Amino acid sequence: MRFGTILCLLTVMPSAAVRANPARPPDLEALFRAEIELAAHKLRLDPGKLDPKLALALAVAGVTWSPASDGNLLIKQEGKNWTYSGWAGRWEGLLSASASADARTEFAFALSLILDPAPDAAKARHAFGIVSRYGDGLDLALMGIVGAPRNVPLLPSLQYAAADALVWRCDTRHTQFWLALADSGDSYLRSRAIVAIGLVAYSANPAASGAAGRTGHVPFEGLIVPVRESPISAAQRLMFKDVLIKAADHRSYRVRAAAALALGLMGGDEARDRLVRLAKDRTYIVTSARSGGMRTIVFPVRDVAAAALKRYGVIVRPSGGTFNDRDFRTATRGCRDVTRDTSGMVRGLRGGLRFYEGLW
């Protein structure tokens, strides 16, 4: 995954801390009011028919006004193909906008370095800190990107990255958004919604719900995003469980891996039983092939389920490893190679921030 070189960044991103800050964040919609008003004209739509979150997303991403800073363009336009420009120029543009106290340009350039990341931990961390100051406004803009129709400029290419950024923030006020996205026909977006539901339903005690308020620790291996218990009702927990159990049987290995992570976060006896089944999942990924027939493989769903089961004191023997040709055939007998499986995804789209170390 594209952001794999900056795991040190992810361990310090201000997720729960941002939500816990009592200071009122700046108003992102007020900051971009003029650019938002241009959105309907840009898309040739009746302003009354344009979703407010989409209008905000178009504004903050720079679509409605093509921002530039110190000679650095944020967006490249080649006919109908809109992309962000090179990250080095966007970084220089961010520094210039910050120095001149141009908050709109600063936000647009900083957001670009999250959705199309800078391969530098310190730079990406700096950009994330800027956009995170805007709290719920940032979340609404990210949701607008995730839900953007395919015919708008730029935003569809950023949908997976925006979904990953929302998982990092995972504000419980947006639970309905995640429940709706959990029915998405896109396996990548669906998997991110499943993880977010698991984060909302997190219990420090896997056997039962714990008291809300504990925060910051990592419940099992491989999880990078910080977690905290949230005060959810018994009815909500039951609804979340039904969604996660259904996801555990999804045809996409990405969704099943997400379900294993979410079930491990939520806990409970039924979650444990389903995790035992997921720890026998038959999909594998070949991560390297060497001369002489040596191949290294991982079982993406099994690995997540095994990590989650450790919370219950259940140890699962590792399935992956490096094998010669004969042992490889034995290890993968009856299994399915999903190394190049992008079923249910948009071709060419990539994610942004990693929240788990697995290959999904």
Side-chain angles (χ1 to χ4, degrees):
M1 207 180 259
R2 188 177 184 194
F3 220 47
T5 59
I6 62 168
L7 295 184
C8 58
L9 154 69
L10 301 177
T11 59
V12 297
M13 279 189 174
S15 176
V18 169
R19 296 194 299 271
N21 188 347
R24 183 170 181 171
D27 188 334
L28 194 64
E29 292 175 276
L31 179 64
F32 283 94
R33 182 171 289 117
E35 290 75 18
I36 291 170
E37 291 174 355
L38 294 171
H41 173 74
K42 190 78 176 181
L43 300 181
R44 298 177 182 176
L45 293 175
D46 180 344
K49 296 181 179 179
L50 183 60
D51 178 79
K53 289 193 291 292
L54 176 58
L56 177 62
L58 289 164
V60 301
V63 173
T64 61
W65 55 297
S66 301
S69 179
D70 196 25
N72 296 288
L73 295 176
L74 179 65
I75 296 171
K76 296 188 300 182
Q77 301 179 36
E78 298 177 359
K80 295 184 178 180
N81 184 33
W82 292 43
T83 61
Y84 281 132
S85 59
W87 75 266
R90 287 184 282 126
W91 171 250
E92 292 300 325
L94 171 60
L95 294 180
S96 177
S98 298
S100 60
D102 182 349
R104 290 177 303 171
T105 303
E106 179 189 52
F107 184 94
F109 273 81
L111 181 66
S112 78
L113 292 166
I114 299 302
L115 299 180
D116 186 12
D120 180 292
K123 291 178 173 60
R125 182 169 61 245
H126 179 79
F128 195 91
I130 290 171
V131 298
S132 293
R133 294 199 300 257
Y134 293 82
D136 192 51
L138 170 61
D139 293 338
L140 294 175
L142 292 171
M143 286 188 278
I145 295 173
V146 170
R150 304 301 304 171
N151 62 344
V152 304
L154 184 65
L155 300 189
S157 67
L158 306 174
Q159 287 176 321
Y160 291 176
D164 287 330
L166 276 168
V167 170
W168 264 95
R169 294 186 53 77
C170 196
D171 195 312
T172 57
R173 292 173 295 177
H174 307 311
T175 299
Q176 289 304 315
F177 170 82
W178 293 119
L179 289 171
L181 198 63
D183 282 330
S184 172
D186 186 299
S187 59
Y188 192 97
L189 295 179
R190 188 173 191 143
S191 69
R192 273 49 192 170
I194 294 301
V195 171
I197 291 170
L199 289 167
V200 172
Y202 169 66
S203 174
N205 178 1
S209 299
R214 301 175 208 167
T215 182
H217 61 286
V218 175
F220 54 78
E221 291 177 10
L223 184 66
I224 305 167
V225 62
V227 296
R228 62 165 298 161
E229 290 185 318
S230 302
I232 61 176
S233 69
Q236 285 177 308
R237 187 168 293 278
L238 181 61
M239 177 175 58
F240 295 156
K241 183 186 72 172
D242 290 343
V243 172
L244 300 186
I245 292 296
K246 178 182 177 182
D249 291 326
H250 197 270
R251 64 183 179 276
S252 168
Y253 80 91
R254 287 182 174 84
V255 177
R256 295 197 305 277
L261 176 54
L263 288 167
L265 289 166
M266 182 182 67
D269 291 340
E270 194 169 352
R272 179 187 181 280
D273 293 342
R274 191 55 59 106
L275 286 168
V276 170
R277 288 175 52 184
L278 289 170
K280 301 173 184 177
D281 190 90
R282 294 177 177 271
T283 54
Y284 68 91
I285 293 172
V286 179
T287 60
S288 68
R290 308 172 192 169
S291 59
M294 301 297 291
R295 278 167 281 191
T296 302
I297 62 173
V298 298
F299 287 81
V301 181
R302 290 187 193 179
D303 288 350
V304 186
L309 283 168
K310 287 183 180 179
R311 301 193 69 211
Y312 296 88
V314 177
I315 304 300
V316 178
R317 186 176 64 183
S319 300
T322 301
F323 304 95
N324 60 31
D325 192 56
R326 184 180 66 181
D327 291 340
F328 171 79
R329 291 196 299 270
T330 300
T332 59
R333 186 172 294 121
C335 299
R336 184 165 69 94
D337 184 354
V338 293
T339 305
R340 295 180 176 84
D341 183 2
T342 57
S343 57
M345 294 175 58
V346 178
R347 187 185 300 274
L349 255 62
R350 298 188 233 186
L353 307 174
R354 293 186 65 184
F355 50 80
Y356 189 77
E357 292 176 347
L359 302 177
W360 49 276

